[in-house]
Amino acid sequence: MERNTTVRDTSFIASTGKEIKSASITSTNNGISTVHSGRRNPRRPFRWLNPGVILPLLAGILFLFLWEFQVFHKLLDLKKYQLPLPSAIAEAMRDNFSLLLSYTGYTLAEAAAGMLIGSACGFLIALAATAWPRWGGGSLTLVAALNAVPIVALAPIMNLWFGDGIGSRAAIVTATTMAAMAINAYKGMSAVDPLALDLMHSYAAGKPAVFRYLRIRNSLPYVFTALKINTTASMIGAIVGEFFFSSRGLGYLLSNSVKVAKMPLGWSCIVLAAIAGVIFYLIVERLEKVFIKWHSSQRA
């Protein structure tokens, strides 16, 4: 038996006389059903006006205000040449903008190259340690021992081996970022769900398939955690390495500025190094959202 269906749009009128919502009313011979089709609520205006943004912003402004008006100088008994004012640092950055921008790019290139090489080596070490626990497990101990060596001890050796170019600083960063990746990736490859592992074995999956579809995929959140740790460690390694036998970079300029008592310029290097590190971190965080959006940590 056919059912007669009639659909019409109806507007609902509030007590004020204004139209507030529309709906589609479907009539059948058995009854009437109403389907609301009102608009979605638009995004809230001024989304940046939330405590997570406002409070850090106000704290930063208050910090700069106290610094500019020498409150910290009085509390810590410091002179202006020991702790330059923010206005003096901004002036130094404006006067040496092109030089600082060039040296920041150079240091960031050293940090990025060393971090990529070190992270790749650490990931391969984790693969070997997971695939052959008896033989590869000792490599994690060696990497941890290498990471325990201070950067100031590695820098002269790397400069002696690779010269005073970008290669020596990249080697320093490689040594300082390898351990974090190796340990985190190994943990991710080892901490797989036993039920998922049994399911792969029930499908007669070989070791390469288990690594490709289970272990490596499970390690990706740990890998990105290590990458975010390495973004800051790589900047530290690159800047410290530039203190030895370097002719460019923020570390080189910072060292020379302190030697000749140009403290505002030296603090400009510190500020730009911090900004570059934050940008580097945000890039890795964005890549994490793209590549592991399936993970529960990325779900809103």
Side-chain angles (χ1 to χ4, degrees):
M1 181 175 181
E2 295 183 356
R3 300 172 61 186
N4 297 325
T5 303
T6 304
V7 179
R8 70 177 184 272
D9 292 332
T10 303
S11 299
F12 294 93
I13 309 299
S15 59
T16 58
K18 296 181 178 180
E19 181 176 331
I20 58 173
K21 205 172 192 180
S22 62
S24 296
I25 299 179
T26 305
S27 303
T28 64
N29 55 357
N30 292 332
I32 298 176
S33 62
T34 303
V35 180
H36 294 282
S37 59
R39 299 182 195 175
R40 293 181 180 179
N41 292 330
R43 292 185 178 181
R44 292 181 300 172
F46 307 110
R47 290 186 63 186
W48 59 274
L49 291 176
N50 61 75
V53 176
I54 290 295
L55 293 180
L57 183 62
L58 292 177
I61 293 174
L62 177 62
F63 179 81
L64 292 176
F65 179 84
L66 297 176
W67 186 357
E68 180 66 28
F69 287 91
Q70 305 181 37
V71 176
F72 298 135
H73 295 75
K74 295 176 182 178
L75 290 175
L76 303 175
D77 193 21
L78 297 174
K79 306 300 180 182
K80 289 184 180 179
Y81 71 89
Q82 295 174 311
L83 180 61
L85 299 179
S87 57
I89 297 173
E91 183 179 357
M93 292 178 65
R94 185 184 68 243
D95 295 339
N96 302 275
F97 181 75
S98 59
L99 178 66
L100 289 169
L101 189 62
S102 174
Y103 281 8
T104 302
Y106 185 80
T107 301
L108 195 57
E110 295 173 342
M115 191 197 77
L116 291 176
I117 297 173
S119 298
C121 292
F123 189 80
L124 292 177
I125 291 171
L127 278 175
T130 307
W132 303 286
R134 181 176 299 178
W135 305 104
S139 58
L140 295 175
T141 304
L142 294 177
V143 171
L146 179 62
N147 192 62
V149 179
I151 300 175
V152 293
L154 284 174
I157 298 174
M158 296 302 176
N159 284 317
L160 183 63
W161 288 0
F162 300 100
D164 62 348
I166 192 173
S168 61
R169 265 79 68 192
I172 295 170
V173 175
T174 298
T176 56
T177 57
M178 196 184 305
M181 176 58 71
I183 294 172
N184 278 274
Y186 175 74
K187 183 175 179 61
M189 293 180 193
S190 302
V192 296
D193 189 352
L195 296 178
L197 194 59
D198 291 341
L199 180 63
M200 294 293 291
H201 291 159
S202 67
Y203 288 147
K207 182 177 286 189
V210 171
F211 268 86
R212 179 181 177 184
Y213 297 107
L214 183 59
R215 293 192 184 274
I216 292 179
R217 183 179 176 86
N218 190 71
S219 70
L220 289 180
Y222 297 86
V223 167
F224 277 100
T225 299
L227 287 175
K228 288 190 283 189
I229 295 172
N230 286 342
T231 54
T232 54
S234 62
M235 290 297 297
I236 295 172
I239 291 175
V240 173
E242 288 171 352
F243 276 77
F244 301 89
F245 308 108
S246 179
S247 58
R248 292 183 64 188
L250 291 176
Y252 163 77
L253 185 59
L254 173 60
S255 177
N256 285 353
S257 300
V258 172
K259 290 177 182 177
V260 297
K262 292 184 177 180
M263 297 305 296
L265 183 58
W267 276 86
S268 300
C269 298
I270 295 173
V271 171
L272 285 177
I275 293 173
V278 170
I279 293 174
F280 202 5
Y281 178 89
L282 292 177
I283 291 173
V284 174
E285 188 177 42
R286 181 58 184 170
L287 292 175
E288 180 184 22
K289 294 181 183 299
V290 172
F291 285 102
I292 61 169
K293 57 185 177 182
W294 48 267
H295 194 256
S296 58
S297 62
Q298 304 301 319
R299 295 173 187 168

PDB file of all heavy atoms in Angstrom, residues 10 27 50 65 83 85 93 105 108 110 118 125 166 172 210 241 243 273 286 292:
ATOM      1  N   THR A  10       8.156  25.099   7.354  1.00  0.00           N
ATOM      2  CA  THR A  10       7.398  25.909   8.280  1.00  0.00           C
ATOM      3  C   THR A  10       8.333  26.736   9.124  1.00  0.00           C
ATOM      4  O   THR A  10       9.363  26.231   9.569  1.00  0.00           O
ATOM      5  CB  THR A  10       6.535  25.022   9.207  1.00  0.00           C
ATOM      6  OG1 THR A  10       5.698  24.224   8.406  1.00  0.00           O
ATOM      7  CG2 THR A  10       5.695  25.886  10.150  1.00  0.00           C
ATOM      8  N   SER A  27       4.464  15.029   6.223  1.00  0.00           N
ATOM      9  CA  SER A  27       3.150  14.485   6.561  1.00  0.00           C
ATOM     10  C   SER A  27       2.961  13.173   5.835  1.00  0.00           C
ATOM     11  O   SER A  27       3.219  13.069   4.627  1.00  0.00           O
ATOM     12  CB  SER A  27       2.045  15.465   6.132  1.00  0.00           C
ATOM     13  OG  SER A  27       2.242  16.723   6.724  1.00  0.00           O
ATOM     14  N   ASN A  50      40.463  33.675  25.412  1.00  0.00           N
ATOM     15  CA  ASN A  50      40.243  32.612  26.381  1.00  0.00           C
ATOM     16  C   ASN A  50      41.415  32.588  27.342  1.00  0.00           C
ATOM     17  O   ASN A  50      42.498  33.107  27.042  1.00  0.00           O
ATOM     18  CB  ASN A  50      40.061  31.258  25.681  1.00  0.00           C
ATOM     19  CG  ASN A  50      41.278  30.852  24.882  1.00  0.00           C
ATOM     20  OD1 ASN A  50      42.286  30.435  25.441  1.00  0.00           O
ATOM     21  ND2 ASN A  50      41.197  30.973  23.556  1.00  0.00           N
ATOM     22  N   PHE A  65      57.296  44.581  31.350  1.00  0.00           N
ATOM     23  CA  PHE A  65      57.110  45.860  32.042  1.00  0.00           C
ATOM     24  C   PHE A  65      58.052  45.952  33.252  1.00  0.00           C
ATOM     25  O   PHE A  65      58.727  46.975  33.450  1.00  0.00           O
ATOM     26  CB  PHE A  65      55.648  45.996  32.476  1.00  0.00           C
ATOM     27  CG  PHE A  65      55.351  47.263  33.215  1.00  0.00           C
ATOM     28  CD1 PHE A  65      55.076  48.439  32.537  1.00  0.00           C
ATOM     29  CD2 PHE A  65      55.331  47.283  34.615  1.00  0.00           C
ATOM     30  CE1 PHE A  65      54.790  49.614  33.218  1.00  0.00           C
ATOM     31  CE2 PHE A  65      55.054  48.444  35.300  1.00  0.00           C
ATOM     32  CZ  PHE A  65      54.783  49.618  34.600  1.00  0.00           C
ATOM     33  N   LEU A  83      72.376  43.122  32.533  1.00  0.00           N
ATOM     34  CA  LEU A  83      71.068  42.713  32.025  1.00  0.00           C
ATOM     35  C   LEU A  83      70.480  43.875  31.245  1.00  0.00           C
ATOM     36  O   LEU A  83      69.858  44.779  31.818  1.00  0.00           O
ATOM     37  CB  LEU A  83      70.136  42.324  33.174  1.00  0.00           C
ATOM     38  CG  LEU A  83      68.716  41.864  32.779  1.00  0.00           C
ATOM     39  CD1 LEU A  83      68.780  40.621  31.898  1.00  0.00           C
ATOM     40  CD2 LEU A  83      67.870  41.598  34.022  1.00  0.00           C
ATOM     41  N   LEU A  85      68.153  46.315  28.999  1.00  0.00           N
ATOM     42  CA  LEU A  85      66.719  46.524  28.989  1.00  0.00           C
ATOM     43  C   LEU A  85      66.112  46.019  27.676  1.00  0.00           C
ATOM     44  O   LEU A  85      66.791  45.966  26.642  1.00  0.00           O
ATOM     45  CB  LEU A  85      66.407  48.006  29.164  1.00  0.00           C
ATOM     46  CG  LEU A  85      66.900  48.646  30.463  1.00  0.00           C
ATOM     47  CD1 LEU A  85      66.529  50.120  30.483  1.00  0.00           C
ATOM     48  CD2 LEU A  85      66.339  47.932  31.679  1.00  0.00           C
ATOM     49  N   MET A  93      68.492  44.619  17.821  1.00  0.00           N
ATOM     50  CA  MET A  93      67.921  43.749  16.795  1.00  0.00           C
ATOM     51  C   MET A  93      67.567  44.537  15.545  1.00  0.00           C
ATOM     52  O   MET A  93      67.754  44.054  14.423  1.00  0.00           O
ATOM     53  CB  MET A  93      66.683  43.036  17.348  1.00  0.00           C
ATOM     54  CG  MET A  93      66.973  42.013  18.434  1.00  0.00           C
ATOM     55  SD  MET A  93      65.480  41.235  19.100  1.00  0.00           S
ATOM     56  CE  MET A  93      64.897  40.355  17.670  1.00  0.00           C
ATOM     57  N   GLY A 105      69.336  31.765  10.331  1.00  0.00           N
ATOM     58  CA  GLY A 105      69.117  30.745   9.318  1.00  0.00           C
ATOM     59  C   GLY A 105      70.236  29.723   9.272  1.00  0.00           C
ATOM     60  O   GLY A 105      69.996  28.520   9.096  1.00  0.00           O
ATOM     61  N   LEU A 108      69.876  27.484  12.359  1.00  0.00           N
ATOM     62  CA  LEU A 108      68.715  26.619  12.201  1.00  0.00           C
ATOM     63  C   LEU A 108      68.982  25.511  11.191  1.00  0.00           C
ATOM     64  O   LEU A 108      68.502  24.377  11.360  1.00  0.00           O
ATOM     65  CB  LEU A 108      67.512  27.457  11.770  1.00  0.00           C
ATOM     66  CG  LEU A 108      66.134  26.817  11.882  1.00  0.00           C
ATOM     67  CD1 LEU A 108      65.867  26.375  13.315  1.00  0.00           C
ATOM     68  CD2 LEU A 108      65.057  27.794  11.438  1.00  0.00           C
ATOM     69  N   GLU A 110      71.939  24.111  10.648  1.00  0.00           N
ATOM     70  CA  GLU A 110      72.765  23.137  11.375  1.00  0.00           C
ATOM     71  C   GLU A 110      71.907  22.261  12.273  1.00  0.00           C
ATOM     72  O   GLU A 110      72.068  21.025  12.305  1.00  0.00           O
ATOM     73  CB  GLU A 110      73.793  23.867  12.224  1.00  0.00           C
ATOM     74  CG  GLU A 110      74.831  24.646  11.453  1.00  0.00           C
ATOM     75  CD  GLU A 110      75.705  25.483  12.363  1.00  0.00           C
ATOM     76  OE1 GLU A 110      75.302  25.732  13.531  1.00  0.00           O
ATOM     77  OE2 GLU A 110      76.793  25.904  11.915  1.00  0.00           O
ATOM     78  N   GLY A 118      70.462  12.536  13.184  1.00  0.00           N
ATOM     79  CA  GLY A 118      70.457  11.857  14.477  1.00  0.00           C
ATOM     80  C   GLY A 118      69.183  11.080  14.721  1.00  0.00           C
ATOM     81  O   GLY A 118      69.209   9.954  15.240  1.00  0.00           O
ATOM     82  N   ILE A 125      68.523   2.301  14.953  1.00  0.00           N
ATOM     83  CA  ILE A 125      69.004   1.562  16.125  1.00  0.00           C
ATOM     84  C   ILE A 125      67.832   0.910  16.859  1.00  0.00           C
ATOM     85  O   ILE A 125      67.914  -0.237  17.316  1.00  0.00           O
ATOM     86  CB  ILE A 125      69.794   2.490  17.052  1.00  0.00           C
ATOM     87  CG1 ILE A 125      71.110   2.890  16.380  1.00  0.00           C
ATOM     88  CG2 ILE A 125      70.075   1.834  18.401  1.00  0.00           C
ATOM     89  CD1 ILE A 125      71.880   3.968  17.117  1.00  0.00           C
ATOM     90  N   ILE A 166      79.761  23.636   8.557  1.00  0.00           N
ATOM     91  CA  ILE A 166      78.474  23.224   9.094  1.00  0.00           C
ATOM     92  C   ILE A 166      78.468  21.755   9.503  1.00  0.00           C
ATOM     93  O   ILE A 166      77.679  21.330  10.363  1.00  0.00           O
ATOM     94  CB  ILE A 166      77.364  23.514   8.058  1.00  0.00           C
ATOM     95  CG1 ILE A 166      75.984  23.384   8.690  1.00  0.00           C
ATOM     96  CG2 ILE A 166      77.497  22.592   6.852  1.00  0.00           C
ATOM     97  CD1 ILE A 166      74.856  23.811   7.768  1.00  0.00           C
ATOM     98  N   ILE A 172      77.648  17.284  15.980  1.00  0.00           N
ATOM     99  CA  ILE A 172      77.362  17.459  17.407  1.00  0.00           C
ATOM    100  C   ILE A 172      75.880  17.259  17.678  1.00  0.00           C
ATOM    101  O   ILE A 172      75.485  16.564  18.627  1.00  0.00           O
ATOM    102  CB  ILE A 172      77.821  18.853  17.865  1.00  0.00           C
ATOM    103  CG1 ILE A 172      79.337  18.980  17.759  1.00  0.00           C
ATOM    104  CG2 ILE A 172      77.375  19.136  19.297  1.00  0.00           C
ATOM    105  CD1 ILE A 172      79.852  20.392  17.969  1.00  0.00           C
ATOM    106  N   VAL A 210      54.730  -7.534  10.222  1.00  0.00           N
ATOM    107  CA  VAL A 210      54.438  -7.134  11.604  1.00  0.00           C
ATOM    108  C   VAL A 210      55.080  -5.778  11.911  1.00  0.00           C
ATOM    109  O   VAL A 210      54.470  -4.906  12.541  1.00  0.00           O
ATOM    110  CB  VAL A 210      54.936  -8.218  12.586  1.00  0.00           C
ATOM    111  CG1 VAL A 210      54.833  -7.726  14.025  1.00  0.00           C
ATOM    112  CG2 VAL A 210      54.138  -9.497  12.412  1.00  0.00           C
ATOM    113  N   GLY A 241      78.071  24.323  19.869  1.00  0.00           N
ATOM    114  CA  GLY A 241      79.124  23.950  18.936  1.00  0.00           C
ATOM    115  C   GLY A 241      79.739  25.138  18.219  1.00  0.00           C
ATOM    116  O   GLY A 241      80.916  25.121  17.852  1.00  0.00           O
ATOM    117  N   PHE A 243      80.456  27.901  19.489  1.00  0.00           N
ATOM    118  CA  PHE A 243      81.410  28.593  20.355  1.00  0.00           C
ATOM    119  C   PHE A 243      82.841  28.185  20.028  1.00  0.00           C
ATOM    120  O   PHE A 243      83.787  28.891  20.415  1.00  0.00           O
ATOM    121  CB  PHE A 243      81.117  28.284  21.826  1.00  0.00           C
ATOM    122  CG  PHE A 243      80.050  29.155  22.431  1.00  0.00           C
ATOM    123  CD1 PHE A 243      78.706  28.925  22.171  1.00  0.00           C
ATOM    124  CD2 PHE A 243      80.377  30.203  23.264  1.00  0.00           C
ATOM    125  CE1 PHE A 243      77.716  29.732  22.724  1.00  0.00           C
ATOM    126  CE2 PHE A 243      79.400  31.011  23.824  1.00  0.00           C
ATOM    127  CZ  PHE A 243      78.071  30.769  23.553  1.00  0.00           C
ATOM    128  N   ALA A 273      67.331  32.889  19.076  1.00  0.00           N
ATOM    129  CA  ALA A 273      67.477  31.443  19.244  1.00  0.00           C
ATOM    130  C   ALA A 273      66.219  30.849  19.863  1.00  0.00           C
ATOM    131  O   ALA A 273      65.764  29.763  19.459  1.00  0.00           O
ATOM    132  CB  ALA A 273      68.698  31.140  20.105  1.00  0.00           C
ATOM    133  N   ARG A 286      52.928  20.450  14.091  1.00  0.00           N
ATOM    134  CA  ARG A 286      51.980  20.452  12.980  1.00  0.00           C
ATOM    135  C   ARG A 286      52.095  19.171  12.154  1.00  0.00           C
ATOM    136  O   ARG A 286      51.079  18.589  11.741  1.00  0.00           O
ATOM    137  CB  ARG A 286      52.228  21.674  12.085  1.00  0.00           C
ATOM    138  CG  ARG A 286      51.276  21.789  10.912  1.00  0.00           C
ATOM    139  CD  ARG A 286      49.846  21.858  11.368  1.00  0.00           C
ATOM    140  NE  ARG A 286      48.917  21.867  10.240  1.00  0.00           N
ATOM    141  CZ  ARG A 286      47.607  21.737  10.370  1.00  0.00           C
ATOM    142  NH1 ARG A 286      47.062  21.579  11.560  1.00  0.00           N
ATOM    143  NH2 ARG A 286      46.836  21.756   9.293  1.00  0.00           N
ATOM    144  N   ILE A 292      49.691  11.586  12.297  1.00  0.00           N
ATOM    145  CA  ILE A 292      49.071  10.644  13.242  1.00  0.00           C
ATOM    146  C   ILE A 292      47.739  11.204  13.749  1.00  0.00           C
ATOM    147  O   ILE A 292      47.433  11.125  14.940  1.00  0.00           O
ATOM    148  CB  ILE A 292      50.015  10.291  14.414  1.00  0.00           C
ATOM    149  CG1 ILE A 292      50.389  11.535  15.213  1.00  0.00           C
ATOM    150  CG2 ILE A 292      51.245   9.583  13.931  1.00  0.00           C
ATOM    151  CD1 ILE A 292      51.099  11.194  16.521  1.00  0.00           C
TER     152      ILE A 292
END
